Amino acid sequence: MKLWGITHRGAVRQQNQDAYAVRELEDGRGLAVVCDGMGGARAGNVASSMAVELFMRKLEEQGQPGDDPQKWLKTAAAHANDGVFQKAVEDPDCTGMGTTLVAALIRKNQASIVNVGDSRCYGISNGSIRQITKDHSVVQMMVDRGELTPETAKSYPGKNLITRAVGTEPTILCDLYRQELEKGSYLLLCSDGLSNMLDDQEMLFEVVHGVNKQKCCKRLLDIAKLRGSPDNVTSILVSV
């Protein structure tokens, strides 16, 4: 297993409010997390950085994930929520801040995934790509109700409005997924700064046909920047 990641402020923003981390655990499993902060010039950066740090620290405190990796991830996400929410309550400069969070724990044949917000995890195998996570956003709710098609949702005004976030409420509601993995498959985790600039097939092409997998995240970033990426861009690629 190999893990690569990159983050950048994009073509317009002066500050990067995304954060990420990748790590290989002692038992050979891989861990990846992406957070996309919100809440003002300073607070978004604080929220995403805190969430990544607290999430990873809680996982270390819990020890190895054992037989219930989803519970392991959920507990860490709740810990991150507690810390970000408390900071938002105590620090006037951080009032209302929050962050998305998508994370995956990967072993040879299976990934456990936790998601809050509209950062995404994609599965790539056998020449196809599938969005594993479901966005917690106003636009996704409208798609679910049949008011928008997935295609029109891509350019709908206010598509960045999310319905769940880490740190905005005292408790957190997250979605959990389990994904079977084949040898030679990939996971791609990213903030919406990437998924808003490239469609699924473009991401698939870069992952599958790019000769140097180590530079795949950089290639995806470069495409987003060339298109004027108005948001921060973060991605992690996991090769199984």
Side-chain angles (χ1 to χ4, degrees), residues 22-38:
V22 294
R23 188 168 301 166
E24 187 168 344
L25 305 179
E26 292 180 1
D27 63 357
R29 301 190 202 197
L31 181 63
V33 56
V34 170
C35 289
D36 179 359
M38 61 182 192

Side-chain angles (χ1 to χ4, degrees), residues 129-196:
I129 184 169
R130 183 177 74 87
Q131 183 180 333
I132 299 170
T133 55
K134 185 175 182 179
D135 295 351
H136 302 133
S137 67
V138 172
V139 165
Q140 184 61 53
M141 290 175 61
M142 296 175 72
V143 171
D144 293 342
R145 293 196 296 258
E147 299 170 10
L148 292 174
T149 66
E151 193 61 34
T152 56
K154 293 178 182 179
S155 58
Y156 192 80
K159 70 182 301 295
N160 62 329
L161 296 175
I162 59 176
T163 55
R164 296 189 203 172
V166 173
T168 56
E169 300 290 341
T171 58
I172 190 175
L173 179 62
C174 53
D175 288 346
L176 297 163
Y177 303 86
R178 214 175 249 117
Q179 176 71 19
E180 296 299 322
L181 302 172
E182 300 176 357
K183 184 173 177 58
S185 61
Y186 301 88
L187 289 181
L188 178 66
L189 287 74
C190 65
S191 63
D192 67 344
L194 181 69
S195 58
N196 285 341

Side-chain angles (χ1 to χ4, degrees), residues 38-132:
M38 61 182 192
R42 174 170 172 262
N45 179 55
V46 172
S48 61
S49 299
M50 279 190 67
V52 168
E53 180 183 352
L54 292 170
F55 183 83
M56 298 297 283
R57 185 189 305 167
K58 187 62 176 179
L59 294 181
E60 292 175 356
E61 291 174 358
Q62 292 183 99
Q64 297 302 313
D67 296 328
D68 195 352
Q70 289 191 326
K71 181 180 179 181
W72 194 69
L73 293 171
K74 186 177 180 180
T75 300
H79 180 69
N81 186 79
D82 292 343
V84 175
F85 180 77
Q86 193 62 33
K87 177 70 172 177
V89 170
E90 295 175 350
D91 189 340
D93 291 336
C94 296
T95 300
M97 74 174 180
T99 181
T100 69
L101 185 149
V102 62
L105 174 68
I106 311 103
R107 53 185 175 184
K108 289 184 178 180
N109 62 345
Q110 191 177 84
S112 297
I113 299 153
V114 61
N115 181 56
V116 182
D118 63 354
S119 293
R120 295 177 177 178
C121 179
Y122 292 89
I124 299 172
S125 63
N126 297 318
S128 64
I129 184 169
R130 183 177 74 87
Q131 183 180 333
I132 299 170

Side-chain angles (χ1 to χ4, degrees), residues 219-237:
R219 292 197 305 271
L220 293 169
L221 169 63
D222 288 343
I223 294 171
K225 287 166 64 180
L226 283 171
R227 295 177 180 177
S229 51
D231 201 355
N232 309 142
V233 181
T234 302
S235 66
I236 295 172
L237 181 67

